Amino acid sequence: MLELLNIKIEVERLSNILGKAEDCLDIQYLTARIQYLHQVIAQPDFWNNPTRAYEVLQEIEYSIFYKHQEYQRWCSILEDIKAALELLELSADEQLWQEVQSNLTQLQQELETAEIRQLLSGPHDQKGALLTITAEVDASDAQYWAYMLLQMYWRWGKSHNYQLDVVEISDGNEGGIKYATLEITASCAYGYLKSETGTHQLQQISPFDATNSLRTSLASVEVLPILGESVEWQIPEKDLEITRWHSNSRNINHSETWVKVVHIPTGISVFCDQERSQMQNKEKALAILKSKLFAMPTAGYAYALAQGVQIDKIQPRLIKSLSSKLIREYILHPYTKVKDLRTNVETPAATEVLDGKIDLFIKAYLQQLNHTTSVGKEALDNFK
């Protein structure tokens, strides 16, 4: 009976959360907005402006599936739990009890995710993400650490039912990776994962050292929004250097469809060899490069443009990457702990974190971001 009472208390707490969610979401407004957008789509000239059409479709998808219908489904799950609890008070039923616990766990997890999503307010937070992991040095320990991070983000994405693809990867010497880029196609993926940009530090017994010495390894993570067709901006051809595989190429470590694109003014390069054709790899590489260039505002790029600095005058040495800042420590020996150095949130459950359970760090970062006014200053400082 005590466990039943605890669940009833938790149900009441979730009811209060949904009540607040209804006020925040303004269900009546969402319903009216969706009806209006459907009227916009019905206009004969709707597709004349592809960019605007894309934005309208994105808004409808987000409003319907990530707000309106999701809220209605949560209410339905909660009502089912309440009805089941009334039956359990009259008569014990093991199967019904398990169903209540399962539904309650599901609702708790989804409301936790929704609470984090309410913290997303950036201009690109609703977009998908490109996440690049780079081993800081050409050493086996660092490369294996980069591979562990790749697994961590892959598992995080899969746990949220996101679509993931490896769009570029360079293998390391002993099972690790030198770098890799994940494409995460899902609404809000960038808003969540922007918290991961920075240098991640691992302390553990080296698996590559016979003396079992304690090693510290570093890997940087860079997260960019997938811009797609929503941004009307093209990279001038004169600023691009495109290299393709040719039959006389000596590069035997990659497929014959690889393409490398370099942005000459900044020196930023993208290598793609995961698609089936050179054309697909070229399109993917250009899309990634476009995101890298356009997303540089978070590292001072937009501030430079606002001050009238010409794009072709911007050099890599002028841009301090946010990914160079140490943001998180992962300790696996002599004890286990993961600590975020920005929010001071920490947990001894390092194995769970490396298994993809990083939402506690994401939530804490977004909460801190929403309560600080130093973001603009930090971005400007990065261009000094």
Side-chain angles (χ1 to χ4, degrees):
M1 290 300 294
L2 180 60
E3 193 169 2
L4 184 62
L5 177 61
N6 289 336
I7 285 185
K8 292 181 70 174
I9 294 173
E10 177 63 9
V11 166
E12 186 62 29
R13 186 183 72 86
L14 295 178
S15 295
N16 292 333
I17 291 176
L18 280 177
K20 293 178 182 178
E22 182 176 12
D23 294 336
C24 294
L25 293 177
D26 195 346
I27 299 301
Q28 290 184 346
Y29 165 78
L30 282 178
T31 302
R33 180 65 178 170
I34 291 168
Q35 291 174 348
Y36 166 75
L37 292 175
H38 278 299
Q39 291 175 358
V40 172
I41 292 175
Q43 298 300 314
D45 61 346
F46 174 71
W47 294 105
N48 290 351
N49 186 338
T51 300
R52 172 57 181 159
Y54 175 84
E55 291 174 348
V56 169
L57 294 176
Q58 284 288 94
E59 183 179 351
I60 289 178
E61 179 185 8
Y62 181 69
S63 295
I64 293 176
F65 294 105
Y66 293 97
K67 286 187 175 180
H68 191 273
Q69 287 189 358
E70 198 169 57
Y71 171 78
Q72 299 295 341
R73 188 172 58 82
W74 291 333
C75 290
S76 178
I77 293 174
L78 190 62
E79 290 304 314
D80 289 344
I81 293 174
K82 289 179 178 179
L85 288 176
E86 291 179 1
L87 293 175
L88 287 171
E89 286 183 324
L90 299 175
S91 176
D93 185 321
E94 184 61 28
Q95 183 176 351
L96 187 59
W97 175 249
Q98 291 179 359
E99 183 180 328
V100 165
Q101 291 178 313
S102 176
N103 286 340
L104 186 63
T105 299
Q106 177 188 347
L107 188 58
Q108 287 171 325
Q109 292 174 346
E110 293 189 14
L111 288 180
E112 173 71 14
T113 300
E115 186 179 1
I116 296 175
R117 193 164 61 233
Q118 290 299 316
L119 299 171
L120 304 181
S121 57
H124 301 303
D125 282 356
Q126 309 303 327
K127 298 185 184 299
L130 292 165
L131 185 146
T132 299
I133 303 163
T134 306
E136 287 294 278
V137 294
D138 188 16
S140 297
D141 286 290
Q143 292 172 3
Y144 189 65
W145 172 224
Y147 175 69
M148 291 171 66
L149 286 173
L150 178 63
Q151 286 186 310
M152 182 180 79
Y153 292 119
W154 184 276
R155 290 164 179 164
W156 176 85
K158 286 299 182 182
S159 71
H160 287 75
N161 297 316
Y162 289 166
Q163 178 182 331
L164 299 101
D165 292 293
V166 177
V167 295
E168 58 174 342
I169 189 167
S170 177
D171 295 329
N173 302 321
E174 298 183 65
I177 58 171
K178 295 178 181 178
Y179 66 84
T181 295
L182 271 181
E183 182 180 49
I184 305 169
T185 308
S187 178
C188 300
Y190 173 71
Y192 297 140
L193 290 173
K194 66 184 181 183
S195 65
E196 300 304 294
T197 292
T199 296
H200 297 241
Q201 177 178 289
L202 172 69
Q203 178 180 301
Q204 69 167 354
I205 298 294
S206 173
F208 304 101
D209 190 336
T211 63
N212 292 326
S213 60
L214 191 64
R215 293 286 180 86
T216 297
S217 304
L218 300 173
S220 64
V221 175
E222 179 187 43
V223 184
L224 306 170
I226 298 175
L227 299 177
E229 301 298 326
S230 64
V231 176
E232 293 182 339
W233 177 67
Q234 298 299 324
I235 305 172
E237 289 189 15
K238 66 180 181 65
D239 291 342
L240 295 173
E241 179 183 288
I242 301 176
T243 307
R244 300 177 178 86
W245 182 91
H246 297 290
S247 58
N248 61 350
S249 174
R250 296 181 179 180
N251 189 331
I252 60 174
N253 295 322
H254 299 283
S255 67
E256 297 179 0
T257 63
W258 66 262
V259 173
K260 181 180 180 180
V261 179
V262 178
H263 183 249
I264 299 171
T266 63
I268 295 174
S269 66
V270 177
F271 181 93
C272 281
D273 68 342
Q274 300 299 301
E275 301 297 328
R276 294 184 178 182
S277 69
Q278 277 194 343
M279 180 61 70
Q280 290 173 318
N281 277 320
K282 177 186 174 183
E283 291 175 354
K284 182 69 70 174
L286 287 171
I288 295 174
L289 180 59
K290 182 178 178 181
S291 290
K292 283 179 176 287
L293 291 172
F294 197 85
M296 281 169 61
T298 57
Y301 186 73
Y303 293 89
L305 295 182
Q307 297 300 318
V309 179
Q310 296 179 14
I311 294 178
D312 60 3
K313 300 299 182 184
I314 298 175
Q315 301 298 325
R317 63 182 178 80
L318 297 176
I319 304 166
K320 294 181 184 177
S321 174
L322 294 179
S323 63
S324 65
K325 181 180 180 181
L326 183 62
I327 65 163
R328 194 173 300 151
E329 295 176 334
Y330 305 71
I331 300 174
L332 302 184
H333 189 85
Y335 54 88
T336 61
K337 183 178 78 172
V338 180
K339 180 177 180 178
D340 194 288
L341 303 179
R342 301 160 300 179
T343 63
N344 289 322
V345 169
E346 61 180 74
T347 175
T351 301
E352 292 185 5
V353 170
L354 293 173
D355 198 38
K357 294 179 175 59
I358 60 173
D359 282 340
L360 74 162
F361 299 115
I362 292 174
K363 181 179 179 180
Y365 174 82
L366 292 174
Q367 287 175 330
Q368 184 183 81
L369 193 62
N370 279 11
H371 289 86
T372 182
T373 57
S374 62
V375 178
K377 179 180 181 301
E378 178 178 309
L380 185 59
D381 287 344
N382 284 325
F383 197 76
K384 291 181 179 177

